[in-house]
């Protein structure tokens, strides 16, 4: 068949691009416009092979083979098929498992079935050499593409290079049309931020008064035979390295025979964080009565809207934690029948009501944000999700109060 197929080892392509643009192979250091990248791959392949494109196969690793945000975007693009291997963490580093085997199997199967006349391989792994040789034996022309190596290093197997029929190097100019290095500093609270307190949500610095209040004992506390020992034990269990005591920290002070700590002053910030939502604990302020009546997004969403939301999540929402919080808040506000709820919610800042917060985190879990990170929930992502949520609520609240022109 006079068609071309592109097989992309995403770990190689994006890792080498990160090394070239950001100085290290971590894909977290780059931002990728996948639409532009796929378009470039297609145009370059059709130009080099002088054949129409049949399909682009995108091979990548994912924790538990669960599609990540970029995979969700890619797999709905025309002529793109995503194949996922496993992604495991060992010695503090992520490693792909099964990706090379999947590429080898796909390459040999396509060649055996004569599905194409030309195959473009974007990879550097010598493990694909047998598959490349098998494809050539079935009459398929093999084009090997490399990413320009950083610092003059060589990033492809010499055996692959020697066996390829044609070769191309994707240089910096080609790569930067779709990939760019991230600015240092993070992406969770991009300026401008209307609430300066959002930074406090993310970093949660501890006022001295807050720590003192958490450790103080009420003067009228009844004495207990083991009170001193219990109090010392409780203080040891309060992590000194954490900036702001969390509800879990406060609960740790409730040892047998020890009275709950004095409440935090109004200026102190508590880092509420739980994938199960809010849990009231002694020594912490309870939710306002209005919080229990706050409608959830599920209650405000029709079946048609639910379908449209899923379509938008798959095709448009990138999955950045901050963006996820904004999207959730936008939908919630737009579907509110009673805008008084918006004012009530805004008055509860920075604490997201239990019902809404739990639903927000469950929504974020669709994008792989709350799992598979050292088998623990990533705390930084949580605060970024909530910061995005409050940012959008800020914008919507301001719009409600904006003067109407004549």
């Amino acid at each position: 068949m006079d068609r071309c197929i592109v097989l992309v080892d995403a770990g190689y392509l994006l890792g080498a691009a990160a090394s070239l643009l950001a100085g290290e192979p971590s894909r977290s250091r780059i931002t990728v416009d996948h639409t532009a990248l796929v378009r470039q791959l297609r145009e370059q392949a059709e130009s080099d092979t002088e054949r129409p494109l049949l399909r682009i196969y995108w091979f990548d690793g994912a924790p538990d083979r669960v599609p990540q945000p970029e995979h969700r975007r890619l797999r709905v693009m025309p002529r793109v098929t995503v194949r996922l291997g496993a992604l495991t963490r060992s010695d503090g580093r992520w490693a792909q498992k099964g990706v090379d085997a999947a590429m080898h199997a796909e390459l040999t199967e396509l060649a055996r079935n004569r599905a194409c006349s030309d195959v473009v391989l974007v990879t550097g792994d010598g493990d694909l050499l047998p598959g490349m040789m098998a494809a050539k034996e079935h009459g398929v022309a093999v084009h090997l593409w490399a990413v320009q190596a950083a610092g003059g290093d060589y990033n492809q197997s010499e055996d692959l290079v020697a066996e390829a029929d044609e070769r191309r190097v994707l240089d910096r100019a080609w790569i930067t049309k779709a990939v760019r290095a991230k600015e240092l500093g993070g992406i969770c609270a991009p300026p401008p931020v209307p609430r300066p307190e959002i930074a406090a949500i993310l970093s949660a610095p501890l006022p001295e008064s807050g720590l003192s209040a958490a450790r103080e004992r009420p003067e009228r506390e009844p004495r207990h035979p083991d009170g001193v020992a219990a109090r010392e034990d409780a203080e040891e269990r309060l992590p000194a390295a954490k900036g702001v005591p969390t509800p879990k920290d406060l609960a740790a002070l409730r040892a047998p025979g020890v009275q709950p700590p004095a409440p935090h002053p109004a200026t102190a910030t508590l880092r509420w964080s739980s994938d199960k939502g809010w849990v009231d604990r002694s020594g912490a302020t309870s939710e306002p009565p209005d919080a229990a009546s706050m409608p959830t997004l599920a209650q405000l969403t029709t079946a048609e809207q639910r379908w449209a939301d899923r379509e938008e999540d798959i095709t448009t929402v990138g999955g950045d934690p901050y963006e996820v919080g904004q999207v959730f808040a936008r939908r919630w506000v737009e579907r509110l029948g009673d805008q008084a709820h918006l004012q009530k919610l805004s008055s509860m800042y920075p604490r997201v009501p239990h019902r809404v917060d739990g639903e927000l985190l469950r929504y974020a879990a669709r994008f792989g944000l709350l799992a598979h990170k050292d088998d623990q929930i990533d705390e930084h992502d949580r605060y970024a999700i909530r910061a995005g949520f409050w940012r959008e609520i800020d914008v919507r609240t301001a719009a409600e109060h904006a003067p109407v022109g004549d």
Side-chain angles (χ1 to χ4, degrees):
M1 300 293 287
D2 292 337
R3 298 176 295 191
C4 69
I5 289 177
V6 181
L7 275 63
V8 180
D9 179 350
Y12 166 77
L13 173 60
L14 301 183
S19 295
L20 180 64
L21 302 181
E24 60 180 85
S26 173
R27 288 161 62 171
S28 63
R29 293 293 308 278
I30 56 174
T31 299
V32 183
D33 182 342
H34 290 90
T35 302
L37 183 57
V38 166
R39 182 176 61 251
Q40 285 180 237
L41 289 169
R42 177 172 186 166
E43 292 174 353
Q44 193 68 62
E46 291 182 335
S47 174
D48 283 9
T49 64
E50 299 181 348
R51 300 286 188 270
L53 177 77
L54 172 61
R55 191 173 297 116
I56 295 175
Y57 287 90
W58 186 273
F59 295 86
D60 203 1
D64 296 336
R65 291 183 168 85
V66 175
Q68 300 300 292
E70 64 185 270
H71 306 138
R72 297 164 65 89
R73 290 193 296 271
L74 283 162
R75 66 185 183 180
V76 296
M77 293 182 184
R79 302 297 181 103
V80 177
T81 295
V82 176
R83 297 280 190 258
L84 295 179
L87 192 64
T88 59
R89 193 170 180 85
S90 177
D91 297 328
R93 299 184 62 182
W94 291 104
Q96 295 183 160
K97 300 293 184 182
V99 172
D100 295 337
M103 289 189 70
H104 178 277
E106 197 73 56
L107 175 59
T108 54
E109 190 69 13
L110 291 169
R112 184 182 300 112
N113 292 327
R114 302 188 182 278
C116 59
S117 60
D118 296 74
V119 168
V120 175
L121 290 178
V122 187
T123 185
D125 199 327
D127 289 345
L128 278 177
L129 182 61
M132 178 187 286
M133 296 173 65
K136 291 176 63 177
E137 291 173 359
H138 284 88
V140 175
V142 179
H143 303 249
L144 182 65
W145 289 2
V147 176
Q148 179 182 340
D153 294 335
Y154 208 72
N155 59 14
Q156 272 189 318
S157 162
E158 293 186 16
D159 291 334
L160 279 184
V161 173
E163 193 68 29
D165 294 308
E166 303 287 346
R167 188 167 182 258
R168 169 177 289 279
V169 176
L170 307 177
D171 60 16
R172 180 184 293 267
W174 195 97
I175 293 295
T176 52
K177 291 178 182 178
V179 183
R180 63 180 178 84
K182 287 180 181 177
E183 297 293 333
L184 296 177
I187 58 174
C188 294
V193 177
R195 288 184 187 270
E197 299 93 332
I198 282 182
I201 294 179
L202 298 176
S203 60
L206 175 65
E208 289 299 324
S209 59
L211 182 58
S212 300
R215 296 181 181 274
E216 282 178 359
R217 305 284 302 147
E219 292 183 2
R220 61 178 179 276
E221 171 189 346
R223 296 197 60 80
H224 185 278
D226 299 324
V228 174
R231 185 161 61 249
E232 290 175 353
D233 180 60
E235 289 184 352
E236 287 180 2
R237 281 183 282 164
L238 179 65
K242 282 189 178 180
V244 176
T246 66
K248 183 177 180 180
D249 298 332
L250 295 178
L253 293 176
R254 295 163 55 205
V258 179
Q259 292 294 324
H264 283 282
T267 57
T269 304
L270 292 178
R271 297 178 65 182
W272 309 114
S273 181
S274 170
D275 57 339
K276 297 179 181 178
W278 171 261
V279 178
D280 287 318
R281 299 182 187 276
S282 300
T285 57
S286 59
E287 280 196 322
D290 291 335
S293 63
M294 201 69 67
T296 63
L297 180 60
Q299 293 172 330
L300 300 171
T301 302
T302 65
E304 291 78 9
Q305 288 172 325
R306 188 174 300 110
W307 186 91
D309 289 348
R310 292 292 288 182
E311 181 76 7
E312 182 183 12
D313 290 343
I314 293 172
T315 60
T316 306
V317 181
D320 170 72
Y322 192 89
E323 177 193 14
V324 167
Q326 287 183 302
V327 171
F328 182 93
R330 169 174 56 79
R331 292 173 182 169
W332 189 83
V333 173
E334 288 177 348
R335 295 167 192 175
L336 273 178
D338 184 0
Q339 292 298 314
H341 285 302
L342 181 60
Q343 301 305 320
K344 293 176 182 177
L345 176 66
S346 185
S347 68
M348 298 176 193
Y349 175 85
R351 177 172 161 187
V352 183
H354 170 102
R355 311 178 70 211
V356 178
D357 190 50
E359 190 180 36
L360 171 61
L361 295 179
R362 287 192 295 273
Y363 169 67
R366 296 181 189 174
F367 299 92
L369 293 174
L370 303 184
H372 312 301
K373 297 190 177 179
D374 299 328
D375 297 323
Q376 294 181 2
I377 294 175
D378 189 279
E379 198 76 359
H380 187 267
D381 281 355
R382 289 184 177 218
Y383 287 102
I385 292 164
R386 291 173 177 135
F389 175 87
W390 281 117
R391 162 73 182 200
E392 189 67 18
I393 294 297
D394 251 354
V395 172
R396 301 287 170 162
T397 305
E400 286 293 316
H401 289 86
V404 179
D406 296 332

